Amino acid sequence: FTLSGRLAKLSPNQVTDLKGLLATPETLGRILDRGPAAETNGLDGARFTYDDDVIIHLRLSGNAPELRCYVETNSSEESQEILKSSLYKVSTILEAAGSC
């Protein structure tokens, strides 16, 4: 089950902060707080694949000031929960950094 969501209308400072986070997937992985990923791919943002078949992919939009989040799991409910949690955790970090 796949879902997507976004943090929209990001400020230039937020975009800069997110570029830094996406450039260091290990830091972003700790923010998501799901434990170590079985595989991390930084080719287009940060894509984390976990042993339980969960995939979380975060990337900046190429045409809008927003962060996009894609989630794939084995159930609709789990996808919804992980999407909501991931976006919340990233937005919390942006607020703590003072870029909101």
Side-chain angles (χ1 to χ4, degrees):
F1 293 85
T2 60
L3 281 177
S4 64
R6 64 191 176 143
L7 296 177
K9 299 180 182 177
L10 298 173
S11 72
N13 287 343
Q14 289 173 311
V15 171
T16 299
D17 288 349
L18 286 167
K19 284 180 182 177
L21 283 175
L22 293 170
T24 56
E26 59 279 353
T27 301
L28 188 54
R30 285 192 299 275
I31 291 167
L32 296 177
D33 194 29
R34 285 198 43 84
E39 181 182 336
T40 302
N41 182 324
L43 187 60
D44 180 26
R47 181 182 168 106
F48 303 94
T49 304
Y50 297 91
D51 286 333
D52 60 356
D53 296 328
V54 169
I55 297 171
I56 303 172
H57 184 190
L58 297 158
R59 62 182 286 277
L60 287 169
S61 170
N63 61 359
E66 61 189 32
L67 177 75
R68 298 195 178 164
C69 181
Y70 306 92
V71 175
E72 182 176 332
T73 72
N74 292 318
S75 77
S76 176
E77 294 80 17
E78 186 178 22
S79 290
Q80 290 174 17
E81 180 181 314
I82 291 174
L83 177 64
K84 182 179 175 181
S85 172
S86 297
L87 290 173
Y88 174 77
K89 288 173 182 176
V90 172
S91 68
T92 300
I93 292 301
L94 291 175
E95 288 174 15
S99 61
C100 285

